[in-house]
Amino acid sequence: MTATTTGLDGDTLRMMLSALDDFVAGALPDSRLLELDHDDTCPEETVRAMCGDDLGVHLVFIPEEYGGLGGGAFDAYRVCERLARLDIGVATSVFATFLGSDPVLVGATPEQRKEWLGRIAEQGTMFAYGATEPEAGSDLGALTTTATPVETDGRVTGYRLTGRKQWISNGSIADVTTVLALAPGGPSWFLVEKGTPGFSAATPEDKHGIRLSNTAALFLDDVLVPAENLVGRVEGRGLIQAQQVFGYTRVMVAAFGLGGGWSALDRAIAYSADRVQGGTPLSAKRGYTHKLIVPHLVRLEAARAYLEQTAALIDAGQGSTADLNTAGAIAKYLATEAGNAAADAAIQAHGGYGYTRPYLVEKIRRDVRITTIYEGTSEILEMTIARDRWQQHLKTHGQYHRDAARALAGLPDECGAPAAALALDCLADVLEACRADRLTRHQHILLRLGELIAYAECAGALARRAADAMSETLPEKADRRFDAGTLAAVARVFAREATLKVAEDGLRWVTGAVPLPKPGPSIGGARPEPAAAGLAAALPLDRVRAAQAGLIADLDQIADAVYGREATPEVPS
């Protein structure tokens, strides 16, 4: 995907989403999903039909010059969310082809792009992405798979690949796999076709979830590939090529978390509207909606705001690779954690029925769990976020997040901007306390900072999105599930949560890093006052707590909007 791609027009995107709904409704009704899940079977024919003339969903991800529709990051997010609402396993199979073709898209020669991307567009060729290894996990630099050059008359004419790949989506059904291997010049990508002698797949993994996707280990036993199958025809560019698309691919997996979470919540919303308990439907009970429904949709919509912001930056060609990698990490972290929590709450919202397979939320919960693991675990993302923003804090002498807070000053108060700005200011205080006491030497502190940064920055993104909705300036292709008034209430609720989390949790971890004093008389004078005391004085905790005023009224407003009703008094439990 080129940086300047703007993607599909709004009508084309809406037609694609509608066609996708119709196709999956016919090919994969709930009964069929449950059957395939029980049998642990990937519906390969259905996936190939989706990427064939029947639907052509794969064309969204291929540039127009190679026979595709030339969709951008925003289009990919909308399509991936819709796929995940239908089934995350099937969505993973479609995503695997795009991921597998990534090295070709960003690093291949023009001739290689024409051949291999053309195969996807014209023939629906399925790809797999062969990067992960059994011992290396997500560390692409710890490769053991090797690529040994084969020379003929002093010229390299091929490579022999030897090694093993693990957790490969589409592993045993892909027509072509891009394999990352260590060549003499460094890590490099190679295109390996199914059926090549020495190239084989293990029995598909027996997985906890996404059982409609094919996941298998791959074995490369002295596999000979022609030199023309070295992506880019130059060795040593593999890791750079992988890094170039992290921002983009993480947007897509973030959309999976968003789609899975909303799929589960929508089922819980429908169930609670019909389920009567004590003479009234569950949807009329605030104890139910304000715990199991509303907080989760709020976090999902906060993630959506950051996801849409990141996708728009990618399509506009703004931001360095490192900037977009961090933005993609924030979007994926919050969306997948929120989706996982929403699916868990949906089981609780169904009571005992939620724990049974026929209601499907049990399956969705198992499926969405993988989104916090693949394409970067939540812990790797926390580290990525914290390290980048820590460097920004140091480079700007503590002003990075204060500047972000000031940038919200012109937004309407009703879109949650004051509380979001307060969260960002508190975050700057927390980071400065960590600098003063060198607390980032503690790995867990660094991870927790990643979480706080994600919450604060997503609060700012959601405030901006709510303001755009109020001024009717949302992007044409943006999701519009909620009207401007409801979205503003959603933004206020999340901004309050982010403010409280950053201030209270930040103070907790900074204080928690202070060692207990040793018994007995002090030696060498009193210990300098730790940063925790200074942070407690610097944080405007009274303002943080005062910002929570109006929370219940906003939760009420959101619940009424979700269930399509006028404001109603609470029904006693």
Side-chain angles (χ1 to χ4, degrees):
M1 190 65 57
T2 60
T4 55
T5 298
T6 55
L8 312 179
D9 62 78
D11 288 341
T12 301
L13 176 61
R14 285 185 285 273
M15 287 175 60
M16 172 59 73
L17 296 177
S18 178
L20 185 56
D21 285 342
D22 293 342
F23 180 89
V24 174
L28 295 171
D30 286 359
S31 59
R32 178 67 173 148
L33 293 175
L34 289 169
E35 178 186 352
L36 291 165
D37 177 75
H38 179 271
D39 294 342
D40 194 11
T41 301
C42 171
E44 182 180 350
E45 291 184 3
T46 301
V47 174
R48 288 188 180 277
M50 292 173 70
C51 298
D53 293 337
D54 291 357
L55 183 62
V57 68
H58 63 301
L59 297 177
V60 173
F61 308 106
I62 304 297
E64 289 182 273
E65 58 265 40
Y66 304 114
L69 293 174
F74 213 102
D75 304 306
Y77 131 65
R78 293 301 308 278
V79 169
C80 284
E81 182 191 2
R82 189 61 58 89
L83 279 168
R85 281 178 181 256
L86 301 167
D87 185 84
I88 295 178
V90 171
T92 298
S93 292
V94 175
F95 170 68
T97 285
F98 172 78
L99 185 60
S101 66
D102 264 348
V104 177
L105 194 61
V106 302
T109 65
E111 294 77 17
Q112 287 175 326
R113 288 195 189 98
K114 182 177 180 180
E115 177 182 355
W116 297 100
L117 297 180
R119 286 196 196 183
I120 298 174
E122 296 168 14
Q123 303 170 26
T125 299
M126 291 179 65
F127 271 63
Y129 186 75
T132 310
E133 297 190 353
E135 302 302 323
S138 297
D139 183 3
L140 299 186
L143 288 173
T144 58
T145 300
T146 58
T148 304
V150 174
E151 295 188 3
T152 303
D153 297 329
R155 182 174 63 89
V156 175
T157 57
Y159 290 84
R160 292 193 177 277
L161 308 184
T162 299
R164 178 179 175 181
K165 297 297 178 178
Q166 188 74 34
W167 316 122
I168 307 304
S169 297
N170 287 356
S172 57
I173 63 174
D175 304 304
V176 181
T177 301
T178 45
V179 174
L180 186 64
L182 188 60
S188 308
W189 289 101
F190 296 87
L191 290 147
V192 184
E193 297 193 64
K194 187 175 184 178
T196 302
F199 184 45
S200 61
T203 301
E205 302 286 354
D206 184 6
K207 303 186 299 295
H208 173 65
I210 59 167
R211 293 166 68 84
L212 273 68
S213 72
N214 174 278
T215 307
L218 300 177
F219 302 99
L220 298 109
D221 183 13
D222 203 29
V223 176
L224 178 63
V225 296
E228 290 76 13
N229 285 26
L230 167 62
V231 174
R233 301 301 306 276
V234 177
E235 295 178 8
R237 296 182 178 177
L239 296 186
I240 295 173
Q241 291 162 353
Q243 289 289 333
Q244 283 181 303
V245 295
F246 267 151
Y248 191 98
T249 56
R250 283 173 176 164
V251 160
M252 296 170 73
V253 179
F256 286 0
L258 196 62
W262 261 116
S263 179
L265 272 189
D266 278 334
R267 290 176 181 274
I269 289 167
Y271 175 81
S272 61
D274 294 335
R275 175 69 167 170
V276 174
Q277 189 177 72
T280 56
L282 289 174
S283 59
K285 301 177 188 294
R286 264 43 175 183
Y288 178 98
T289 60
H290 291 16
K291 178 185 178 184
L292 301 176
I293 304 295
V294 176
H296 297 286
L297 78 83
V298 165
R299 293 180 199 122
L300 287 169
E301 290 308 301
R304 183 191 302 282
Y306 206 92
L307 201 166
E308 290 195 350
Q309 174 181 288
T310 303
L313 289 175
I314 293 171
D315 285 342
Q318 297 177 7
S320 66
T321 297
D323 291 339
L324 295 176
N325 282 349
T326 303
I330 291 174
K332 180 187 181 295
Y333 175 74
L334 192 64
T336 58
E337 289 290 327
N340 195 50
D344 192 66
I347 290 180
Q348 192 76 10
H350 280 76
Y353 293 111
Y355 205 63
T356 63
R357 295 183 187 276
Y359 280 75
L360 232 68
V361 289
E362 179 271 342
K363 173 187 176 299
I364 295 169
R365 173 64 177 80
R366 286 186 287 107
D367 288 348
V368 78
R369 184 67 180 84
I370 189 61
T371 64
T372 66
I373 297 174
Y374 64 10
E375 199 62 12
T377 67
S378 289
E379 292 70 35
I380 286 176
L381 300 182
E382 287 175 340
M383 185 66 73
T384 298
I385 296 163
R387 282 177 172 170
D388 180 82
R389 295 305 194 241
W390 179 246
Q391 291 301 315
Q392 296 294 339
H393 181 82
L394 297 179
K395 288 177 183 178
T396 62
H397 305 287
Q399 292 304 304
Y400 183 82
H401 286 106
R402 296 201 190 281
D403 289 344
R406 302 292 81 77
L408 300 177
L411 301 183
D413 287 357
E414 54 264 43
C415 68
L422 183 57
L424 290 162
D425 275 329
C426 288
L427 178 61
D429 289 331
V430 171
L431 290 172
E432 186 58 21
C434 290
R435 184 200 63 78
D437 255 15
R438 300 175 58 219
L439 299 185
T440 55
R441 68 185 186 276
H442 300 289
Q443 186 184 59
H444 186 63
I445 295 292
L446 201 58
L447 294 181
R448 298 285 50 78
L449 289 177
E451 178 188 22
L452 302 185
I453 291 163
Y455 266 76
E457 294 196 20
C458 285
L462 184 53
R464 285 188 291 273
R465 190 173 193 275
D468 287 344
M470 292 172 66
S471 62
E472 298 183 351
T473 56
L474 281 174
E476 179 192 9
K477 294 183 286 189
D479 178 86
R480 285 176 168 78
R481 176 170 184 142
F482 297 110
D483 62 33
T486 304
L487 190 58
V490 169
R492 293 193 297 270
V493 170
F494 187 79
R496 291 186 186 98
E497 180 180 3
T499 300
L500 193 64
K501 176 178 277 291
V502 170
E504 299 286 3
D505 283 9
L507 183 57
R508 177 195 182 199
W509 290 114
V510 170
T511 303
V514 177
L516 290 171
K518 295 181 179 179
S522 62
I523 300 174
R527 181 182 185 277
E529 185 171 325
L535 178 59
L539 286 172
L541 295 177
D542 287 345
R543 288 178 57 205
V544 169
R545 291 158 187 158
Q548 307 307 312
L551 174 59
I552 294 297
D554 282 340
L555 295 175
D556 289 345
Q557 179 182 342
I558 297 166
D560 289 336
V562 165
Y563 291 98
R565 65 195 180 204
E566 298 294 329
T568 56
E570 181 174 1
V571 175
S573 60

